[in-house]
Amino acid sequence: MIFAHKTAGFELPSWPKAHKCDRLLSGALKSRLGKPLQPTEPPEFPYWDAAYFGLDKVTIFRDATPDEQQQILHLCSQELLAEAYFIEKAGVGYMAKMTLMAETTQERMLYAMFGADEATHLGQIISFLPVEPAATSDKFLQLLSELVETEDKSLLLFLMQVVLEGWGLTHYRSLAKHCRYPGLGQMFYNFLQEESRHHAAGEMIFTETSLSIASEHAIIEALTLFLQMVQAGPQRVVAVLERVKGHLSKAQKVKIFEELDTEAHSGTRLAVLHGLMQPPNARGIVAELKQRGAFEPFSPSQCAALSEVAVSG
């Protein structure tokens, strides 16, 4: 079988239960963690509360029944956990690819060790999932799976390690701080030191890289697509509301995005991403992205229009 995105490995199946090699994998994870990895019984409550998603300010959520509110929060929480699962799954493949693309013995050793970090993170996340997600239609994750297929090392370094690993540090810190389940929150805190090393290595190696015109252009185009997803605000939250509450009109969506304060929400994230793009050889990239308005958040009306397109698509 040939997979469409073999590096990210999103379509890779899992071993059947009680596979002969499970004990070997469990032993390897235990040796890295210092303890056996046990399946976690999920709590009755959602991992993150309404305030974390901004839903405490949204009228349609506040007016929902208690059962609907719990369903919405569970779905939003599961989407965050599934996203982390796919990101770490892609990370395992990415580090394996960078191990093969390494230009020195030490660089190969470094990426092999980083790959073990990502595999350990993935194993920990799986223990919190009732069932491993089989596939994803999320636009960000689809973009990620396409990016890691490139053979352009400069693009891989800048997008995957400088920007996305740096962004991941902020994201995981936020997930850890606001998680209502101590075991899961501590897991995300524990990821930070290793993810920080991955990000720092990417910055160091990228800074020593001479960018070709083709690479710079490819990075700009890929980042334009990624930043547009951030500009578009909390689309997943609105999509979950629509799944539970039924069809929402464009006017309703505009109101929801207003209540979610989408411009401030996206503006904060875009500022963080802009701050990550500081290597000297990335100045031309940042200048072009600014020229395109890629660091400006979309209005509630624009966000609602994009939501309508996503539903009809």
Side-chain angles (χ1 to χ4, degrees):
M1 183 181 292
I2 298 175
F3 297 106
H5 301 298
K6 56 182 181 292
T7 303
F10 288 170
E11 301 86 352
L12 286 172
S14 294
W15 276 329
K17 288 183 180 179
H19 191 280
K20 291 178 182 179
C21 288
D22 261 343
R23 234 185 311 174
L24 296 174
L25 178 59
S26 296
L29 289 169
K30 179 183 176 182
S31 69
R32 287 185 62 82
L33 292 169
K35 60 182 180 181
L37 193 59
Q38 300 292 340
T40 304
E41 189 69 28
E44 292 297 316
F45 52 84
Y47 288 128
W48 291 274
D49 64 15
Y52 184 74
F53 300 104
L55 286 166
D56 55 324
K57 304 170 189 171
V58 175
T59 304
I60 194 171
F61 177 82
R62 292 202 309 264
D63 291 344
T65 67
D67 284 348
E68 287 174 332
Q69 289 182 348
Q70 285 295 100
Q71 188 181 356
I72 289 164
L73 292 176
H74 272 292
L75 286 171
C76 286
S77 292
Q78 286 303 312
E79 292 230 343
L80 284 178
L81 206 51
E83 178 187 59
Y85 165 84
F86 282 114
I87 287 172
E88 296 299 332
K89 196 170 190 179
V92 175
Y94 170 76
M95 295 303 180
K97 182 169 188 167
M98 294 298 281
T99 300
L100 295 176
M101 295 179 78
E103 297 169 39
T104 66
T105 299
Q106 288 75 18
E107 186 181 348
R108 174 166 284 195
M109 291 167 64
L110 188 67
Y111 276 108
M113 293 173 73
F114 287 172
D117 293 340
E118 300 287 6
T120 306
H121 297 173
L122 180 59
Q124 291 174 275
I125 289 170
I126 288 171
S127 72
F128 284 93
L129 286 166
V131 179
E132 284 187 60
T136 178
S137 59
D138 182 87
K139 286 186 176 181
F140 163 65
L141 293 171
Q142 287 179 336
L143 175 63
L144 178 65
S145 69
E146 291 166 10
L147 289 175
V148 295
E149 294 304 316
T150 182
E151 297 303 317
D152 187 331
K153 189 177 178 182
S154 301
L155 185 151
L156 288 169
L157 281 167
F158 193 65
L159 266 81
M160 297 296 294
Q161 281 183 258
V162 176
V163 177
L164 293 180
E165 289 268 20
W167 170 251
L169 287 170
T170 300
H171 182 55
Y172 280 172
R173 192 174 291 111
S174 175
L175 291 180
K177 180 180 178 181
H178 297 284
C179 188
R180 301 171 67 204
Y181 189 59
L184 181 58
Q186 189 59 51
M187 180 197 77
F188 283 118
Y189 271 126
N190 293 344
F191 288 180
L192 293 176
Q193 185 175 7
E194 289 158 349
E195 297 291 352
S196 180
R197 280 198 292 266
H198 304 174
H199 171 63
E203 279 192 319
M204 292 175 193
I205 298 170
F206 178 78
T207 300
E208 296 173 353
T209 301
S210 296
L211 278 180
S212 68
I213 293 174
S215 290
E216 186 168 303
H217 177 74
I219 290 170
I220 290 167
E221 294 306 316
L223 278 174
T224 298
L225 290 174
F226 169 59
L227 291 171
Q228 282 173 352
M229 296 177 191
V230 182
Q231 289 174 293
Q235 294 283 340
R236 284 184 193 158
V237 173
V238 177
V240 167
L241 283 169
E242 191 159 35
R243 281 171 64 186
V244 176
K245 295 299 295 181
H247 174 72
L248 300 172
S249 68
K250 184 178 178 183
Q252 286 176 302
K253 290 180 180 180
V254 170
K255 183 182 179 185
I256 292 168
F257 279 111
E258 287 173 346
E259 292 173 329
L260 288 169
D261 200 6
T262 186
E263 290 182 74
H265 175 277
S266 298
T268 299
R269 286 153 179 75
L270 290 163
V272 171
L273 289 163
H274 179 267
L276 290 167
M277 302 179 196
Q278 296 307 310
N281 49 345
R283 286 174 186 152
I285 294 167
V286 175
E288 176 60 25
L289 291 170
K290 281 185 178 178
Q291 184 70 25
R292 296 184 181 196
F295 296 108
E296 300 299 321
F298 292 157
S299 69
S301 180
Q302 289 173 299
C303 293
L306 288 168
S307 176
E308 292 286 292
V309 170
V311 171
S312 63

